[in-house]
Tab-separated table of all heavy atoms in Angstrom:
chain	number	residue	atom	x	y	z
B	113	VAL	N	18.558	-19.521	-6.664
B	113	VAL	CA	17.726	-18.735	-5.713
B	113	VAL	C	18.336	-18.869	-4.320
B	113	VAL	O	19.028	-19.846	-3.993
B	113	VAL	CB	16.307	-19.243	-5.716
B	113	VAL	CG1	15.570	-18.919	-6.965
B	113	VAL	CG2	16.234	-20.734	-5.368
B	114	ASP	N	18.103	-17.885	-3.509
B	114	ASP	CA	18.652	-17.867	-2.158
B	114	ASP	C	17.875	-18.821	-1.213
B	114	ASP	O	18.328	-19.160	-0.139
B	114	ASP	CB	18.636	-16.467	-1.571
B	114	ASP	CG	19.470	-15.501	-2.381
B	114	ASP	OD1	20.436	-15.974	-3.008
B	114	ASP	OD2	19.246	-14.258	-2.366
B	115	GLY	N	16.645	-19.115	-1.629
B	115	GLY	CA	15.787	-20.009	-0.803
B	115	GLY	C	14.594	-20.444	-1.572
B	115	GLY	O	14.245	-19.862	-2.646
B	116	LEU	N	13.844	-21.444	-1.054
B	116	LEU	CA	12.659	-21.946	-1.702
B	116	LEU	C	11.474	-22.075	-0.735
B	116	LEU	O	11.619	-22.486	0.375
B	116	LEU	CB	13.045	-23.395	-2.224
B	116	LEU	CG	13.928	-23.484	-3.423
B	116	LEU	CD1	14.565	-24.884	-3.431
B	116	LEU	CD2	13.168	-23.182	-4.691
B	117	ILE	N	10.291	-21.814	-1.292
B	117	ILE	CA	9.080	-22.109	-0.573
B	117	ILE	C	8.330	-23.079	-1.481
B	117	ILE	O	8.055	-22.788	-2.629
B	117	ILE	CB	8.260	-20.906	-0.278
B	117	ILE	CG1	8.985	-19.962	0.638
B	117	ILE	CG2	6.903	-21.301	0.324
B	117	ILE	CD1	8.286	-18.693	0.966
B	118	ILE	N	7.974	-24.222	-0.946
B	118	ILE	CA	7.405	-25.263	-1.732
B	118	ILE	C	6.025	-25.764	-1.187
B	118	ILE	O	6.014	-26.122	0.008
B	118	ILE	CB	8.320	-26.492	-1.911
B	118	ILE	CG1	9.657	-26.011	-2.435
B	118	ILE	CG2	7.755	-27.575	-2.747
B	118	ILE	CD1	10.774	-27.128	-2.368
B	119	VAL	N	5.025	-25.773	-1.965
B	119	VAL	CA	3.763	-26.486	-1.654
B	119	VAL	C	3.933	-27.821	-2.355
B	119	VAL	O	3.825	-27.922	-3.514
B	119	VAL	CB	2.573	-25.762	-2.171
B	119	VAL	CG1	1.300	-26.575	-1.888
B	119	VAL	CG2	2.415	-24.394	-1.576
B	120	PRO	N	4.283	-28.846	-1.549
B	120	PRO	CA	4.616	-30.148	-2.163
B	120	PRO	C	3.482	-30.780	-2.986
B	120	PRO	O	2.353	-30.869	-2.452
B	120	PRO	CB	4.983	-31.008	-0.946
B	120	PRO	CG	5.173	-30.078	0.231
B	120	PRO	CD	4.278	-28.914	-0.059
B	121	ALA	N	3.783	-31.185	-4.142
B	121	ALA	CA	2.823	-31.953	-4.921
B	121	ALA	C	3.175	-33.468	-4.676
B	121	ALA	O	2.310	-34.307	-4.578
B	121	ALA	CB	2.889	-31.649	-6.358
B	122	GLY	N	4.483	-33.748	-4.614
B	122	GLY	CA	4.900	-35.121	-4.345
B	122	GLY	C	5.298	-35.344	-2.939
B	122	GLY	O	5.240	-34.457	-2.078
B	123	ALA	N	5.641	-36.568	-2.627
B	123	ALA	CA	5.982	-36.907	-1.251
B	123	ALA	C	7.506	-37.059	-1.042
B	123	ALA	O	8.019	-36.987	0.058
B	123	ALA	CB	5.265	-38.200	-0.811
B	124	ASP	N	8.191	-37.204	-2.105
B	124	ASP	CA	9.611	-37.477	-2.023
B	124	ASP	C	10.375	-36.223	-2.394
B	124	ASP	O	10.189	-35.704	-3.482
B	124	ASP	CB	9.969	-38.661	-3.018
B	124	ASP	CG	11.493	-38.855	-3.069
B	124	ASP	OD1	12.168	-38.485	-2.079
B	124	ASP	OD2	11.994	-39.392	-4.029
B	125	HIS	N	11.198	-35.793	-1.531
B	125	HIS	CA	11.996	-34.583	-1.844
B	125	HIS	C	13.483	-34.826	-1.702
B	125	HIS	O	14.246	-33.882	-1.482
B	125	HIS	CB	11.497	-33.415	-0.938
B	125	HIS	CG	10.123	-33.000	-1.322
B	125	HIS	ND1	9.045	-33.578	-0.647
B	125	HIS	CD2	9.601	-32.159	-2.189
B	125	HIS	CE1	7.910	-33.033	-1.149
B	125	HIS	NE2	8.271	-32.189	-2.056
B	126	GLU	N	13.937	-36.013	-1.903
B	126	GLU	CA	15.319	-36.367	-1.815
B	126	GLU	C	16.127	-35.543	-2.785
B	126	GLU	O	17.304	-35.177	-2.590
B	126	GLU	CB	15.493	-37.793	-2.015
B	126	GLU	CG	15.319	-38.738	-0.788
B	126	GLU	CD	16.052	-38.113	0.441
B	126	GLU	OE1	17.229	-37.685	0.305
B	126	GLU	OE2	15.439	-38.122	1.520
B	127	TYR	N	15.454	-35.249	-3.898
B	127	TYR	CA	16.199	-34.476	-4.970
B	127	TYR	C	16.694	-33.138	-4.484
B	127	TYR	O	17.486	-32.463	-5.108
B	127	TYR	CB	15.290	-34.303	-6.216
B	127	TYR	CG	14.086	-33.475	-5.967
B	127	TYR	CD1	14.185	-32.075	-6.101
B	127	TYR	CD2	12.827	-33.972	-5.672
B	127	TYR	CE1	13.086	-31.239	-5.918
B	127	TYR	CE2	11.700	-33.173	-5.446
B	127	TYR	CZ	11.868	-31.802	-5.612
B	127	TYR	OH	10.813	-30.997	-5.377
B	128	LEU	N	16.152	-32.697	-3.344
B	128	LEU	CA	16.494	-31.402	-2.819
B	128	LEU	C	17.733	-31.488	-1.921
B	128	LEU	O	18.353	-30.422	-1.582
B	128	LEU	CB	15.354	-30.849	-1.930
B	128	LEU	CG	14.500	-29.728	-2.467
B	128	LEU	CD1	13.437	-29.331	-1.487
B	128	LEU	CD2	15.386	-28.506	-2.787
B	129	ARG	N	18.055	-32.659	-1.485
B	129	ARG	CA	19.162	-32.852	-0.562
B	129	ARG	C	20.447	-32.073	-0.912
B	129	ARG	O	20.937	-31.301	-0.077
B	129	ARG	CB	19.481	-34.388	-0.512
B	129	ARG	CG	19.736	-35.034	0.830
B	129	ARG	CD	19.830	-34.310	2.073
B	129	ARG	NE	18.728	-34.494	2.972
B	129	ARG	CZ	18.245	-35.681	3.378
B	129	ARG	NH1	18.742	-36.769	3.027
B	129	ARG	NH2	17.243	-35.655	4.251
B	130	PRO	N	20.912	-32.208	-2.175
B	130	PRO	CA	22.177	-31.499	-2.518
B	130	PRO	C	22.068	-30.015	-2.217
B	130	PRO	O	22.919	-29.420	-1.657
B	130	PRO	CB	22.323	-31.785	-4.017
B	130	PRO	CG	21.518	-32.977	-4.223
B	130	PRO	CD	20.400	-33.011	-3.288
B	131	GLU	N	20.927	-29.427	-2.577
B	131	GLU	CA	20.807	-27.948	-2.382
B	131	GLU	C	20.811	-27.627	-0.912
B	131	GLU	O	21.371	-26.628	-0.454
B	131	GLU	CB	19.465	-27.473	-2.996
B	131	GLU	CG	19.147	-28.062	-4.346
B	131	GLU	CD	20.220	-27.799	-5.356
B	131	GLU	OE1	20.932	-26.732	-5.205
B	131	GLU	OE2	20.421	-28.583	-6.300
B	132	LEU	N	19.971	-28.423	-0.148
B	132	LEU	CA	19.882	-28.149	1.299
B	132	LEU	C	21.308	-28.266	1.912
B	132	LEU	O	21.690	-27.383	2.732
B	132	LEU	CB	18.938	-29.165	1.947
B	132	LEU	CG	17.511	-28.955	1.591
B	132	LEU	CD1	16.625	-29.963	2.358
B	132	LEU	CD2	16.988	-27.589	1.944
B	133	ASP	N	21.982	-29.284	1.531
B	133	ASP	CA	23.338	-29.451	2.050
B	133	ASP	C	24.242	-28.318	1.646
B	133	ASP	O	25.182	-27.914	2.358
B	133	ASP	CB	23.952	-30.786	1.576
B	133	ASP	CG	23.266	-31.983	2.191
B	133	ASP	OD1	22.540	-31.722	3.187
B	133	ASP	OD2	23.390	-33.118	1.708
B	134	ALA	N	23.988	-27.809	0.394
B	134	ALA	CA	24.820	-26.700	-0.054
B	134	ALA	C	24.437	-25.362	0.594
B	134	ALA	O	24.942	-24.345	0.308
B	134	ALA	CB	24.650	-26.562	-1.587
B	135	GLY	N	23.362	-25.449	1.462
B	135	GLY	CA	23.028	-24.287	2.245
B	135	GLY	C	21.868	-23.449	1.721
B	135	GLY	O	21.612	-22.336	2.227
B	136	THR	N	21.141	-23.962	0.715
B	136	THR	CA	19.992	-23.284	0.212
B	136	THR	C	18.802	-23.688	1.118
B	136	THR	O	18.385	-24.878	1.051
B	136	THR	CB	19.663	-23.601	-1.257
B	136	THR	OG1	20.804	-23.297	-1.999
B	136	THR	CG2	18.493	-22.819	-1.708
B	137	PRO	N	18.215	-22.820	1.873
B	137	PRO	CA	17.125	-23.210	2.743
B	137	PRO	C	15.853	-23.390	1.988
B	137	PRO	O	15.637	-22.792	0.970
B	137	PRO	CB	16.989	-22.039	3.726
B	137	PRO	CG	17.573	-20.882	2.996
B	137	PRO	CD	18.611	-21.394	2.067
B	138	ALA	N	14.944	-24.275	2.514
B	138	ALA	CA	13.657	-24.549	1.866
B	138	ALA	C	12.594	-24.617	2.968
B	138	ALA	O	12.923	-25.066	4.071
B	138	ALA	CB	13.684	-25.850	1.089
B	139	VAL	N	11.444	-24.097	2.683
B	139	VAL	CA	10.313	-24.145	3.623
B	139	VAL	C	9.182	-24.827	2.893
B	139	VAL	O	8.791	-24.467	1.792
B	139	VAL	CB	9.872	-22.701	4.065
B	139	VAL	CG1	8.613	-22.820	4.922
B	139	VAL	CG2	11.039	-22.006	4.816
B	140	PHE	N	8.570	-25.829	3.515
B	140	PHE	CA	7.381	-26.450	2.922
B	140	PHE	C	6.158	-25.739	3.464
B	140	PHE	O	6.064	-25.424	4.639
B	140	PHE	CB	7.312	-27.923	3.327
B	140	PHE	CG	8.350	-28.780	2.710
B	140	PHE	CD1	9.333	-29.390	3.446
B	140	PHE	CD2	8.352	-28.954	1.316
B	140	PHE	CE1	10.313	-30.156	2.839
B	140	PHE	CE2	9.363	-29.690	0.700
B	140	PHE	CZ	10.301	-30.341	1.489
B	141	ALA	N	5.254	-25.419	2.590
B	141	ALA	CA	4.039	-24.705	2.956
B	141	ALA	C	2.825	-25.425	2.596
B	141	ALA	O	2.756	-26.124	1.627
B	141	ALA	CB	3.979	-23.301	2.285
B	142	ASP	N	1.796	-25.353	3.491
B	142	ASP	CA	0.496	-26.001	3.272
B	142	ASP	C	0.467	-27.497	3.507
B	142	ASP	O	-0.547	-28.040	3.932
B	142	ASP	CB	-0.071	-25.635	1.946
B	142	ASP	CG	-1.573	-25.964	1.817
B	142	ASP	OD1	-2.316	-25.543	2.791
B	142	ASP	OD2	-2.046	-26.533	0.806
B	143	ARG	N	1.631	-28.148	3.205
B	143	ARG	CA	1.700	-29.595	3.369
B	143	ARG	C	3.128	-29.897	3.833
B	143	ARG	O	4.052	-29.217	3.372
B	143	ARG	CB	1.354	-30.373	2.104
B	143	ARG	CG	0.156	-29.847	1.365
B	143	ARG	CD	0.140	-30.365	0.016
B	143	ARG	NE	-0.917	-29.660	-0.736
B	143	ARG	CZ	-1.217	-29.928	-2.010
B	143	ARG	NH1	-0.500	-30.797	-2.648
B	143	ARG	NH2	-2.201	-29.296	-2.592
B	144	PRO	N	3.323	-30.939	4.591
B	144	PRO	CA	4.702	-31.313	4.876
B	144	PRO	C	5.368	-31.916	3.771
B	144	PRO	O	4.705	-32.539	2.849
B	144	PRO	CB	4.537	-32.297	6.050
B	144	PRO	CG	3.133	-32.918	5.801
B	144	PRO	CD	2.332	-31.874	5.167
B	145	GLY	N	6.692	-31.728	3.614
B	145	GLY	CA	7.459	-32.359	2.497
B	145	GLY	C	8.056	-33.697	2.983
B	145	GLY	O	7.904	-34.085	4.091
B	146	GLY	N	8.792	-34.310	2.086
B	146	GLY	CA	9.379	-35.613	2.413
B	146	GLY	C	10.712	-35.494	3.077
B	146	GLY	O	11.500	-36.442	3.119
B	147	LEU	N	10.953	-34.313	3.671
B	147	LEU	CA	12.289	-34.099	4.301
B	147	LEU	C	12.002	-33.298	5.577
B	147	LEU	O	11.020	-32.591	5.693
B	147	LEU	CB	13.075	-33.189	3.380
B	147	LEU	CG	14.320	-33.619	2.674
B	147	LEU	CD1	14.201	-35.009	2.114
B	147	LEU	CD2	14.730	-32.661	1.591
B	148	ASP	N	12.924	-33.473	6.563
B	148	ASP	CA	12.658	-32.693	7.777
B	148	ASP	C	13.164	-31.256	7.661
B	148	ASP	O	14.189	-30.887	8.174
B	148	ASP	CB	13.320	-33.373	8.945
B	148	ASP	CG	12.962	-32.649	10.258
B	148	ASP	OD1	11.816	-32.243	10.429
B	148	ASP	OD2	13.866	-32.446	11.080
Side-chain angles (χ1 to χ4, degrees):
Chain B
V113 291
D114 298 334
L116 287 160
I117 297 178
I118 305 171
V119 175
D124 176 25
H125 295 91
E126 279 310 319
Y127 67 85
L128 252 181
R129 225 353 109 53
E131 318 300 332
L132 292 181
D133 291 345
T136 305
V139 175
F140 291 114
D142 195 44
R143 313 165 189 180
L147 247 42
D148 184 43

